[in-house]
Amino acid sequence: MIHTGERYINPLTDFGFKRIFGTPFNSDLLVSFLNAVLDGERVVEDVEYSNSEKFGSNEDARKAIFDVYCKTADGSRFIVEMQNVYQDFYKDRSIFYSTFPISEQAEKGDWNYELKDVYTIGILNFAFPESKKSGDNGIFREVKLMDINTKEVFYDKLTYIYVELANFHKDIDECKTLIDKWLFCLKNLQNLLERPTELQGRVFEKLFKTAEIAMFKPMELKAYEQSIHAYRDIKNGMDSARREGEAIGLEKGEAIGLEKGEAIGLEKGEFKANMKVARMMKAKGFDVSLISELTGLSEDQIAEL
């Protein structure tokens, strides 16, 4: 059962994220968040939710399942994904996912290939390895196709925005902008007992009502409990991986250099932790696709456990 001290859901769980952002009833919450992330680059006024499950061009092609997929009135597409665990090919998956909203725009007959904007927004409960290595504590990465000679954007209709939530450490009294307030909620909502006075306005009032566990129906509560157990298994596994990785890294560091040793240790520790978490989730009857999404292991690897 959920700890009795928790009043609000954890937005970083699969259930929590989709409850807040993934339903037409809460489209105003998604619109507010998108505008906060875009920070004036463009203004989203309304969204239309689309089928979040996309299939390839034939039955053997790999499908994609988005957390949230929507369109704006002008035809622009937005993919919004929550990712708790770093995967070796996370960037590849992110690029692969963006091909679906591109290819679905193809029209039969005489078509001039004009495309609408496609945005992929990843909310990451981790920092990219290169961020850790360089000591970069930035929160946002915005990626577009660029001409490497002129250093100018070559194509501006394809945008990837990654929010490294692990690097966000502000207290509520330090949150002055809309995006800061949203990131504070994503990271801390489950630890709050009431809505802070700094989070005023219709959007945040609705957010807290949507997230209140006491308002859940029995089936919703059961679904959230399963989701929070999966999240805690992942978190405990990753915490264990970090401790084990640090120990292995220190040992390896004596022989091959501390920085390289730490990297090897963390990599080995995280893989071992992911395998352990996958076994626990599989034993508890979690869906294989969910285990794969949360641990970064392939479905084939999970089937062999």
Side-chain angles (χ1 to χ4, degrees), residues 222-296:
K222 182 178 180 181
Y224 178 56
E225 286 178 342
Q226 184 180 42
S227 188
I228 196 67
H229 289 328
Y231 172 81
R232 287 170 178 167
D233 284 344
I234 288 290
K235 187 177 185 302
N236 291 337
M238 295 311 297
D239 289 345
S240 175
R242 291 188 184 95
R243 290 192 294 270
E244 183 173 345
E246 289 171 358
I248 297 174
L250 289 172
E251 181 180 346
K252 294 282 186 180
E254 296 178 0
I256 60 176
L258 185 59
E259 183 177 307
K260 185 177 180 182
E262 287 178 335
I264 291 174
L266 286 171
E267 182 179 349
K268 288 184 176 180
E270 288 181 1
F271 178 76
K272 185 176 180 180
N274 285 339
M275 295 291 283
K276 180 179 179 181
V277 169
R279 286 192 187 93
M280 289 190 298
M281 293 180 68
K282 187 176 181 181
K284 293 178 180 179
F286 286 96
D287 184 76
V288 172
S289 62
L290 176 60
I291 300 174
S292 176
E293 179 182 349
L294 293 176
T295 64

Coordinates of all heavy atoms in Angstrom, one line a residue, residues 222-296:
K222 N -5.4 1.3 -7.5 CA -4.6 0.0 -7.7 C -3.6 0.2 -8.8 O -2.4 -0.3 -8.7 CB -5.6 -1.1 -8.1 CG -5.0 -2.4 -8.4 CD -6.0 -3.5 -8.7 CE -5.3 -4.9 -9.0 NZ -6.4 -5.9 -9.3
A223 N -3.9 0.9 -9.9 CA -3.0 1.2 -11.0 C -1.8 2.1 -10.5 O -0.7 1.8 -10.9 CB -3.7 1.9 -12.1
Y224 N -2.1 3.0 -9.6 CA -1.1 3.9 -9.1 C -0.1 3.1 -8.2 O 1.1 3.3 -8.2 CB -1.6 5.1 -8.4 CG -0.5 6.0 -7.8 CD1 0.5 6.5 -8.6 CD2 -0.5 6.2 -6.4 CE1 1.5 7.3 -8.1 CE2 0.5 7.0 -5.9 CZ 1.5 7.5 -6.7 OH 2.5 8.3 -6.2
E225 N -0.7 2.2 -7.4 CA 0.1 1.4 -6.5 C 1.1 0.6 -7.3 O 2.3 0.5 -6.9 CB -0.7 0.6 -5.6 CG -1.5 1.3 -4.5 CD -2.4 0.5 -3.6 OE1 -2.7 -0.6 -4.1 OE2 -2.7 0.9 -2.5
Q226 N 0.6 0.0 -8.4 CA 1.5 -0.8 -9.2 C 2.6 0.1 -9.8 O 3.8 -0.3 -9.8 CB 0.8 -1.5 -10.3 CG 1.6 -2.5 -11.1 CD 0.8 -3.1 -12.2 OE1 0.0 -2.5 -12.9 NE2 1.1 -4.4 -12.4
S227 N 2.2 1.3 -10.2 CA 3.2 2.2 -10.9 C 4.2 2.7 -9.9 O 5.4 2.7 -10.2 CB 2.4 3.3 -11.5 OG 3.3 4.2 -12.2
I228 N 3.8 3.0 -8.6 CA 4.7 3.5 -7.6 C 5.7 2.4 -7.2 O 6.9 2.6 -6.9 CB 4.0 4.1 -6.4 CG1 4.9 5.0 -5.6 CG2 3.3 3.1 -5.5 CD1 5.4 6.2 -6.3
H229 N 5.2 1.1 -7.1 CA 6.1 0.0 -6.7 C 7.2 -0.1 -7.8 O 8.3 -0.4 -7.5 CB 5.3 -1.3 -6.6 CG 4.4 -1.3 -5.4 ND1 4.7 -0.7 -4.2 CD2 3.2 -1.9 -5.2 CE1 3.8 -0.9 -3.3 NE2 2.8 -1.6 -3.9
A230 N 6.8 0.0 -9.1 CA 7.8 -0.1 -10.2 C 8.8 1.0 -10.1 O 10.0 0.8 -10.2 CB 7.1 -0.1 -11.5
Y231 N 8.3 2.2 -9.8 CA 9.2 3.3 -9.7 C 10.2 3.1 -8.5 O 11.4 3.4 -8.7 CB 8.4 4.6 -9.5 CG 9.3 5.8 -9.2 CD1 9.9 6.5 -10.2 CD2 9.4 6.3 -7.8 CE1 10.7 7.6 -9.9 CE2 10.2 7.4 -7.6 CZ 10.8 8.1 -8.6 OH 11.6 9.2 -8.3
R232 N 9.7 2.7 -7.4 CA 10.6 2.5 -6.2 C 11.6 1.4 -6.4 O 12.7 1.4 -6.0 CB 9.7 2.2 -5.0 CG 9.0 3.4 -4.5 CD 8.0 3.1 -3.4 NE 7.3 4.4 -2.9 CZ 6.2 4.4 -2.2 NH1 5.6 3.2 -1.8 NH2 5.7 5.5 -1.8
D233 N 11.2 0.3 -7.1 CA 12.1 -0.8 -7.5 C 13.2 -0.2 -8.3 O 14.4 -0.5 -8.1 CB 11.4 -1.9 -8.2 CG 10.6 -2.8 -7.3 OD1 10.8 -2.7 -6.1 OD2 9.7 -3.5 -7.8
I234 N 12.9 0.6 -9.3 CA 13.9 1.2 -10.2 C 14.8 2.1 -9.4 O 16.1 2.1 -9.5 CB 13.2 2.0 -11.3 CG1 12.6 1.1 -12.3 CG2 14.2 2.9 -12.0 CD1 13.6 0.3 -13.2
K235 N 14.2 3.0 -8.5 CA 15.1 3.9 -7.8 C 16.0 3.2 -6.8 O 17.2 3.5 -6.7 CB 14.2 4.9 -7.0 CG 14.9 6.0 -6.3 CD 14.0 6.9 -5.6 CE 14.7 8.1 -5.0 NZ 15.8 7.7 -4.1
N236 N 15.5 2.2 -6.1 CA 16.3 1.4 -5.2 C 17.4 0.7 -6.0 O 18.6 0.6 -5.5 CB 15.5 0.4 -4.4 CG 14.6 1.1 -3.4 OD1 14.8 2.2 -3.0 ND2 13.5 0.4 -3.1
G237 N 17.1 0.2 -7.1 CA 18.1 -0.5 -7.9 C 19.2 0.5 -8.4 O 20.4 0.1 -8.4
M238 N 18.8 1.6 -8.8 CA 19.8 2.6 -9.3 C 20.6 3.2 -8.2 O 21.8 3.4 -8.3 CB 19.1 3.8 -10.0 CG 18.4 3.3 -11.3 SD 19.4 2.4 -12.4 CE 20.7 3.5 -12.8
D239 N 20.0 3.4 -7.0 CA 20.8 3.8 -5.8 C 21.9 2.7 -5.5 O 23.0 3.0 -5.2 CB 19.9 4.0 -4.6 CG 19.1 5.3 -4.8 OD1 19.4 6.1 -5.7 OD2 18.1 5.4 -4.0
S240 N 21.5 1.5 -5.5 CA 22.4 0.4 -5.3 C 23.5 0.3 -6.3 O 24.7 0.1 -6.0 CB 21.6 -1.0 -5.3 OG 22.5 -2.1 -5.2
A241 N 23.1 0.6 -7.6 CA 24.1 0.6 -8.7 C 25.1 1.7 -8.5 O 26.3 1.5 -8.7 CB 23.4 0.9 -10.0
R242 N 24.7 2.9 -8.0 CA 25.7 4.0 -7.8 C 26.7 3.6 -6.7 O 27.9 3.8 -6.8 CB 24.9 5.2 -7.4 CG 24.1 5.8 -8.5 CD 23.5 7.2 -8.2 NE 22.7 7.7 -9.2 CZ 21.4 7.6 -9.3 NH1 20.8 6.9 -8.3 NH2 20.7 8.0 -10.3
R243 N 26.1 3.0 -5.6 CA 27.1 2.6 -4.5 C 28.0 1.5 -5.0 O 29.2 1.6 -4.7 CB 26.2 2.1 -3.3 CG 25.5 3.2 -2.6 CD 24.9 2.7 -1.3 NE 23.9 1.6 -1.5 CZ 22.6 1.8 -1.6 NH1 22.2 3.0 -1.6 NH2 21.8 0.8 -1.8
E244 N 27.5 0.5 -5.7 CA 28.4 -0.5 -6.2 C 29.3 0.0 -7.3 O 30.5 -0.4 -7.3 CB 27.5 -1.7 -6.8 CG 28.3 -2.8 -7.3 CD 27.5 -4.0 -7.7 OE1 26.3 -4.0 -7.4 OE2 28.0 -4.9 -8.4
G245 N 28.8 0.9 -8.1 CA 29.7 1.5 -9.2 C 30.8 2.3 -8.6 O 31.9 2.2 -9.1
E246 N 30.5 3.1 -7.5 CA 31.6 3.8 -6.9 C 32.7 2.9 -6.3 O 33.9 3.2 -6.4 CB 31.0 4.7 -5.8 CG 30.1 5.9 -6.3 CD 29.4 6.6 -5.3 OE1 29.5 6.2 -4.1 OE2 28.7 7.6 -5.6
A247 N 32.2 1.8 -5.7 CA 33.2 0.9 -5.1 C 34.1 0.2 -6.2 O 35.3 0.2 -6.1 CB 32.5 -0.2 -4.3
I248 N 33.4 -0.2 -7.3 CA 34.2 -0.8 -8.4 C 35.1 0.2 -9.0 O 36.2 -0.1 -9.3 CB 33.2 -1.4 -9.4 CG1 32.4 -2.5 -8.8 CG2 34.0 -1.9 -10.6 CD1 31.3 -3.1 -9.8
G249 N 34.6 1.4 -9.2 CA 35.3 2.5 -9.8 C 36.6 2.8 -9.0 O 37.7 3.0 -9.6
L250 N 36.5 2.9 -7.7 CA 37.6 3.2 -6.9 C 38.7 2.1 -7.0 O 39.9 2.4 -7.1 CB 37.2 3.4 -5.4 CG 36.4 4.6 -5.1 CD1 35.9 4.6 -3.7 CD2 37.3 5.9 -5.3
E251 N 38.2 0.8 -7.1 CA 39.1 -0.3 -7.2 C 39.8 -0.3 -8.6 O 41.0 -0.4 -8.7 CB 38.4 -1.6 -7.0 CG 39.3 -2.8 -7.2 CD 38.5 -4.1 -7.0 OE1 37.3 -4.0 -6.5 OE2 39.0 -5.2 -7.3
K252 N 39.0 0.0 -9.6 CA 39.6 0.0 -11.0 C 40.5 1.2 -11.2 O 41.5 1.2 -11.9 CB 38.5 0.1 -12.0 CG 37.6 -1.2 -12.1 CD 38.3 -2.3 -12.8 CE 37.4 -3.5 -13.0 NZ 38.1 -4.6 -13.8
G253 N 40.1 2.3 -10.5 CA 40.8 3.6 -10.6 C 42.3 3.5 -10.2 O 43.1 4.2 -10.8
E254 N 42.6 2.6 -9.3 CA 44.0 2.5 -8.8 C 44.8 2.0 -9.9 O 46.0 2.2 -10.0 CB 44.0 1.6 -7.6 CG 43.3 2.1 -6.4 CD 43.4 1.2 -5.2 OE1 43.9 0.1 -5.4 OE2 42.8 1.5 -4.2
A255 N 44.2 1.2 -10.9 CA 45.0 0.5 -11.9 C 45.0 1.3 -13.2 O 46.0 1.3 -14.0 CB 44.5 -0.9 -12.1
I256 N 43.8 1.9 -13.6 CA 43.7 2.5 -14.9 C 43.3 3.9 -14.9 O 43.0 4.5 -15.9 CB 42.6 1.7 -15.7 CG1 41.3 1.7 -15.0 CG2 43.1 0.3 -16.0 CD1 40.2 1.1 -15.9
G257 N 43.3 4.6 -13.8 CA 43.0 6.0 -13.7 C 41.6 6.1 -13.1 O 40.7 5.5 -13.5
L258 N 41.5 7.1 -12.1 CA 40.3 7.2 -11.3 C 39.0 7.4 -12.2 O 38.0 6.8 -12.1 CB 40.4 8.3 -10.3 CG 39.3 8.4 -9.3 CD1 39.1 7.1 -8.5 CD2 39.5 9.6 -8.3
E259 N 39.1 8.4 -13.1 CA 37.9 8.8 -13.9 C 37.4 7.6 -14.7 O 36.2 7.3 -14.8 CB 38.3 10.0 -14.8 CG 37.1 10.5 -15.6 CD 37.4 11.7 -16.4 OE1 37.9 12.6 -15.9 OE2 37.2 11.6 -17.7
K260 N 38.3 6.9 -15.4 CA 37.9 5.8 -16.3 C 37.4 4.6 -15.4 O 36.4 4.0 -15.7 CB 39.1 5.3 -17.1 CG 38.7 4.2 -18.1 CD 39.9 3.8 -18.9 CE 39.6 2.7 -19.9 NZ 40.7 2.3 -20.7
G261 N 38.0 4.4 -14.2 CA 37.6 3.4 -13.3 C 36.2 3.6 -12.8 O 35.4 2.7 -12.7
E262 N 35.9 4.9 -12.5 CA 34.6 5.2 -12.0 C 33.5 4.9 -13.1 O 32.5 4.4 -12.8 CB 34.5 6.7 -11.5 CG 35.2 6.9 -10.2 CD 35.2 8.4 -9.8 OE1 35.1 9.2 -10.8 OE2 35.3 8.7 -8.7
A263 N 33.9 5.3 -14.3 CA 32.9 5.1 -15.4 C 32.6 3.6 -15.6 O 31.5 3.2 -15.8 CB 33.5 5.7 -16.7
I264 N 33.7 2.8 -15.6 CA 33.5 1.3 -15.7 C 32.7 0.8 -14.6 O 31.7 0.0 -14.8 CB 34.9 0.6 -15.8 CG1 35.6 1.0 -17.1 CG2 34.7 -0.9 -15.7 CD1 37.0 0.4 -17.1
G265 N 32.9 1.2 -13.4 CA 32.2 0.8 -12.2 C 30.7 1.1 -12.3 O 29.9 0.3 -12.0
L266 N 30.4 2.4 -12.6 CA 29.0 2.8 -12.7 C 28.3 2.0 -13.8 O 27.2 1.6 -13.6 CB 29.0 4.3 -13.0 CG 29.3 5.2 -11.8 CD1 29.4 6.6 -12.3 CD2 28.3 5.1 -10.7
E267 N 29.0 1.8 -14.9 CA 28.3 1.1 -16.0 C 28.0 -0.4 -15.6 O 26.9 -0.9 -15.8 CB 29.3 1.0 -17.2 CG 28.6 0.3 -18.4 CD 29.6 0.3 -19.6 OE1 30.6 1.1 -19.6 OE2 29.3 -0.4 -20.6
K268 N 28.9 -1.1 -14.9 CA 28.7 -2.4 -14.5 C 27.6 -2.5 -13.4 O 26.7 -3.3 -13.4 CB 30.0 -3.1 -14.0 CG 31.0 -3.4 -15.1 CD 32.2 -4.1 -14.5 CE 33.2 -4.5 -15.6 NZ 34.4 -5.2 -15.0
G269 N 27.7 -1.5 -12.5 CA 26.8 -1.5 -11.4 C 25.4 -1.2 -11.9 O 24.4 -1.9 -11.4
E270 N 25.2 -0.3 -12.8 CA 23.9 0.1 -13.3 C 23.2 -1.1 -14.0 O 22.0 -1.4 -13.9 CB 23.9 1.3 -14.2 CG 24.2 2.6 -13.4 CD 24.3 3.8 -14.2 OE1 24.1 3.6 -15.5 OE2 24.5 4.9 -13.7
F271 N 24.0 -1.8 -14.8 CA 23.5 -3.0 -15.6 C 23.1 -4.1 -14.6 O 22.0 -4.6 -14.8 CB 24.6 -3.5 -16.6 CG 24.1 -4.7 -17.3 CD1 23.2 -4.6 -18.4 CD2 24.5 -6.0 -17.0 CE1 22.8 -5.7 -19.1 CE2 24.1 -7.1 -17.7 CZ 23.2 -6.9 -18.7
K272 N 23.9 -4.3 -13.6 CA 23.5 -5.3 -12.6 C 22.2 -5.0 -11.9 O 21.4 -5.8 -11.7 CB 24.7 -5.5 -11.7 CG 24.5 -6.7 -10.7 CD 25.7 -6.9 -9.8 CE 25.5 -8.0 -8.8 NZ 26.7 -8.2 -7.9
A273 N 22.1 -3.7 -11.6 CA 20.9 -3.2 -10.8 C 19.7 -3.3 -11.7 O 18.6 -3.7 -11.3 CB 21.1 -1.8 -10.4
N274 N 19.8 -3.0 -13.0 CA 18.7 -3.1 -13.9 C 18.2 -4.5 -14.1 O 17.0 -4.8 -14.1 CB 19.1 -2.5 -15.3 CG 19.1 -1.0 -15.3 OD1 18.5 -0.4 -14.5 ND2 19.8 -0.5 -16.3
M275 N 19.2 -5.5 -14.1 CA 18.8 -6.9 -14.2 C 18.1 -7.3 -12.9 O 17.1 -8.1 -13.0 CB 20.1 -7.7 -14.4 CG 20.8 -7.5 -15.7 SD 19.9 -8.1 -17.1 CE 20.2 -9.9 -17.0
K276 N 18.6 -6.9 -11.8 CA 17.9 -7.2 -10.5 C 16.5 -6.7 -10.5 O 15.6 -7.4 -10.1 CB 18.7 -6.7 -9.4 CG 18.2 -7.0 -8.0 CD 19.1 -6.5 -6.9 CE 18.5 -6.8 -5.5 NZ 19.4 -6.2 -4.4
V277 N 16.3 -5.4 -10.8 CA 15.0 -4.8 -10.8 C 14.1 -5.5 -11.8 O 12.9 -5.8 -11.5 CB 15.1 -3.3 -11.2 CG1 13.7 -2.7 -11.4 CG2 15.8 -2.6 -10.0
A278 N 14.6 -5.8 -13.0 CA 13.8 -6.5 -14.0 C 13.3 -7.9 -13.5 O 12.1 -8.2 -13.7 CB 14.6 -6.7 -15.3
R279 N 14.1 -8.6 -12.8 CA 13.7 -9.9 -12.2 C 12.6 -9.7 -11.2 O 11.6 -10.4 -11.2 CB 14.9 -10.6 -11.5 CG 15.9 -11.2 -12.5 CD 16.9 -12.1 -11.7 NE 18.0 -12.5 -12.6 CZ 19.1 -11.9 -12.7 NH1 19.4 -10.8 -12.0 NH2 20.1 -12.3 -13.5
M280 N 12.7 -8.7 -10.3 CA 11.7 -8.4 -9.3 C 10.4 -8.0 -10.0 O 9.3 -8.5 -9.6 CB 12.1 -7.3 -8.4 CG 13.3 -7.7 -7.4 SD 13.6 -6.5 -6.1 CE 14.1 -5.1 -7.1
M281 N 10.4 -7.2 -11.0 CA 9.2 -6.7 -11.6 C 8.5 -7.9 -12.4 O 7.3 -8.0 -12.4 CB 9.5 -5.6 -12.6 CG 10.0 -4.3 -11.9 SD 10.3 -2.9 -13.0 CE 8.7 -2.6 -13.7
K282 N 9.4 -8.7 -13.0 CA 8.8 -9.8 -13.8 C 8.1 -10.8 -12.8 O 7.1 -11.3 -13.1 CB 9.9 -10.5 -14.6 CG 9.4 -11.6 -15.5 CD 10.6 -12.2 -16.3 CE 10.1 -13.3 -17.3 NZ 11.2 -13.9 -18.0
A283 N 8.7 -11.0 -11.7 CA 8.2 -11.9 -10.7 C 6.8 -11.4 -10.1 O 5.9 -12.2 -9.8 CB 9.1 -12.2 -9.5
K284 N 6.7 -10.1 -10.1 CA 5.5 -9.5 -9.6 C 4.4 -9.3 -10.7 O 3.3 -8.8 -10.5 CB 5.8 -8.1 -9.0 CG 6.6 -8.2 -7.8 CD 6.9 -6.8 -7.3 CE 7.8 -6.8 -6.0 NZ 8.1 -5.5 -5.5
G285 N 4.7 -9.8 -12.0 CA 3.7 -9.8 -13.0 C 3.6 -8.5 -13.8 O 2.6 -8.3 -14.5
F286 N 4.6 -7.6 -13.8 CA 4.6 -6.4 -14.6 C 4.7 -6.8 -16.0 O 5.3 -7.7 -16.4 CB 5.7 -5.5 -14.2 CG 5.5 -4.8 -12.8 CD1 6.1 -5.3 -11.7 CD2 4.7 -3.6 -12.8 CE1 5.9 -4.7 -10.5 CE2 4.6 -3.0 -11.6 CZ 5.1 -3.5 -10.4
D287 N 4.1 -5.9 -16.9 CA 4.1 -6.1 -18.3 C 5.6 -6.0 -18.8 O 6.3 -5.1 -18.4 CB 3.3 -5.0 -19.0 CG 3.2 -5.2 -20.5 OD1 2.5 -6.1 -20.9 OD2 3.9 -4.5 -21.2
V288 N 6.0 -6.8 -19.8 CA 7.3 -6.8 -20.3 C 7.7 -5.5 -20.9 O 8.8 -5.0 -20.7 CB 7.5 -8.0 -21.3 CG1 8.9 -7.9 -21.9 CG2 7.4 -9.3 -20.6
S289 N 6.8 -4.9 -21.6 CA 7.1 -3.6 -22.3 C 7.4 -2.5 -21.2 O 8.2 -1.7 -21.4 CB 6.0 -3.2 -23.2 OG 4.8 -3.0 -22.5
L290 N 6.7 -2.6 -20.1 CA 6.9 -1.6 -19.0 C 8.2 -1.8 -18.4 O 9.0 -0.9 -18.1 CB 5.8 -1.7 -18.0 CG 5.9 -0.8 -16.8 CD1 6.0 0.7 -17.2 CD2 4.8 -1.0 -15.8
I291 N 8.6 -3.1 -18.1 CA 9.9 -3.4 -17.6 C 11.0 -2.9 -18.5 O 12.0 -2.4 -18.0 CB 10.0 -5.0 -17.3 CG1 8.9 -5.5 -16.4 CG2 11.4 -5.3 -16.8 CD1 8.9 -7.0 -16.2
S292 N 10.8 -3.2 -19.8 CA 11.8 -2.7 -20.7 C 12.0 -1.2 -20.7 O 13.1 -0.7 -20.7 CB 11.4 -3.2 -22.1 OG 12.3 -2.7 -23.1
E293 N 10.9 -0.5 -20.7 CA 10.9 1.0 -20.7 C 11.6 1.5 -19.4 O 12.4 2.5 -19.5 CB 9.5 1.5 -20.8 CG 9.4 3.0 -20.8 CD 8.0 3.5 -20.8 OE1 7.0 2.7 -21.0 OE2 7.8 4.8 -20.6
L294 N 11.3 0.9 -18.3 CA 11.9 1.5 -17.0 C 13.3 1.1 -16.8 O 14.1 1.8 -16.1 CB 11.0 1.0 -15.9 CG 9.6 1.6 -15.9 CD1 8.8 1.0 -14.7 CD2 9.6 3.1 -15.7
T295 N 13.7 -0.1 -17.3 CA 15.1 -0.6 -17.0 C 16.1 -0.4 -18.1 O 17.3 -0.4 -17.9 CB 15.1 -2.1 -16.6 OG1 14.6 -2.8 -17.8 CG2 14.2 -2.4 -15.5
G296 N 15.5 -0.2 -19.3 CA 16.4 -0.1 -20.5 C 16.9 -1.4 -21.1 O 17.6 -1.4 -22.1

